[in-house]
């Protein structure tokens, strides 16, 4: 049970362990540096590339194991057009070309415009990139990392203990049962140590 050695620690201790792991990770570290250079408003790396990198490190798996992509959120309400977001995505293609994984860039100010078509239920406009984390299907996945004036900052509205306890816990804020269950099944295939809690 060595992989659970940080379970139950105070948030600040877990935050430091998270940062120690992520800032040394050969995928997250360069992604963070490249995102910082893009200088997007309210940017943060989020979700899988973060908590999966922690799981890989704590279980002795190689960096990148089970990680499909790196997610980069930003929030720009000044132009909600697809064209404006696409221009940022194209900038990111060059900025992240050196990474071994694709980077998916999304303007969180636009989510409400496409969410219902994609997921089948409406979504009110978000107020920030950080607020978007509160809507993730699983509380475990709600973690963000950015550099703010050069200092690493972590967002974790539900804390970090789910990550260090290797459990995927549903977030009932929205009707995201299908997403929670699908991500849980995939996580169990990649990291058998994970426990998935029923919706």
């Amino acid at each position: 049970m060595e992989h659970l050695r940080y379970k139950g620690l105070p948030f600040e201790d877990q935050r430091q362990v998270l940062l120690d792991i992520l800032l040394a990770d050969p995928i997250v570290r360069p992604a963070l540096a490249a995102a910082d250079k893009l200088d997007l408003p309210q940017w943060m790396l989020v979700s899988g590339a973060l908590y999966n990198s922690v799981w890989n490190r704590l279980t002795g798996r190689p960096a990148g194991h089970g990680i499909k992509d790196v997610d980069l959120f930003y929030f720009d309400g000044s132009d909600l057009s697809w064209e404006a977001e696409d221009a940022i995505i194209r900038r990111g293609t060059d900025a992240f070309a050196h990474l071994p994984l694709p980077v998916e860039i999304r303007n969180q100010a636009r989510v409400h415009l496409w969410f219902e078509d994609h997921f089948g239920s409406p979504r009110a406009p978000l107020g920030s990139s950080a607020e978007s984390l509160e809507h993730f299907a699983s509380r475990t996945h709600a973690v963000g990392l950015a550099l703010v004036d050069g200092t690493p900052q972590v967002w974790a509205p539900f804390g970090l203990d789910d990550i260090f306890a290797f459990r995927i816990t549903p977030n009932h804020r929205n009707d995201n049962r299908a997403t929670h269950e699908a991500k849980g099944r995939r996580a169990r295939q990649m990291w058998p140590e994970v426990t998935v809690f029923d919706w």
Side-chain angles (χ1 to χ4, degrees):
M1 304 295 279
E2 181 69 10
H3 64 285
L4 297 176
R5 61 191 178 273
Y6 301 113
K7 174 185 175 182
L9 292 182
F11 174 80
E12 280 305 316
D13 293 343
Q14 291 180 336
R15 186 183 73 86
Q16 190 57 58
V17 173
L18 182 93
L19 286 174
D20 290 345
I21 292 172
L22 296 181
L23 296 179
D25 187 85
I27 295 171
V28 175
R29 185 185 64 246
L32 194 66
D36 192 39
K37 289 179 182 175
L38 284 176
D39 197 28
L40 300 173
Q42 295 186 36
W43 71 270
M44 61 176 68
L45 302 182
V46 303
S47 201
L50 304 183
Y51 65 87
N52 291 159
S53 294
V54 171
W55 289 350
N56 286 337
R57 174 72 174 277
L58 294 180
T59 59
R61 293 183 172 90
H65 168 80
I67 302 174
K68 296 186 295 185
D69 58 24
V70 177
D71 292 300
L72 172 60
F73 284 2
Y74 72 100
F75 193 93
D76 185 358
S78 67
D79 187 342
L80 298 183
S81 69
W82 159 245
E83 292 76 14
E85 185 177 44
D86 188 52
I88 298 297
I89 292 171
R90 283 186 276 110
R91 277 181 59 205
T93 299
D94 294 335
F96 296 109
H98 62 293
L99 293 181
L101 295 173
V103 177
E104 185 172 287
I105 303 172
R106 292 292 179 265
N107 182 3
Q108 296 305 290
R110 294 191 70 250
V111 169
H112 64 285
L113 300 177
W114 53 261
F115 189 90
E116 185 169 8
D117 286 342
H118 192 74
F119 290 105
S121 59
R123 169 67 58 84
L126 296 166
S128 66
S129 288
E131 184 184 343
S132 67
L133 298 175
E134 300 172 16
H135 293 268
F136 280 19
S138 304
R139 295 162 62 101
T140 317
H141 303 158
V143 59
L145 173 68
L147 296 175
V148 179
D149 296 327
T151 301
Q153 183 167 339
V154 173
W155 289 264
F158 305 111
L160 296 170
D161 202 50
D162 280 332
I163 294 174
F164 289 106
F166 281 71
R167 62 181 179 242
I168 298 182
T169 305
N171 176 18
H172 293 113
R173 179 160 185 169
N174 301 297
D175 183 14
N176 283 334
R177 179 175 185 162
T179 301
H180 169 74
E181 292 177 347
K183 287 182 176 291
R185 283 191 298 272
R186 182 177 182 278
R188 288 280 300 146
Q189 292 172 350
M190 297 292 119
W191 300 273
E193 300 87 352
V194 168
T195 298
V196 180
F197 283 83
D198 290 340
W199 187 266

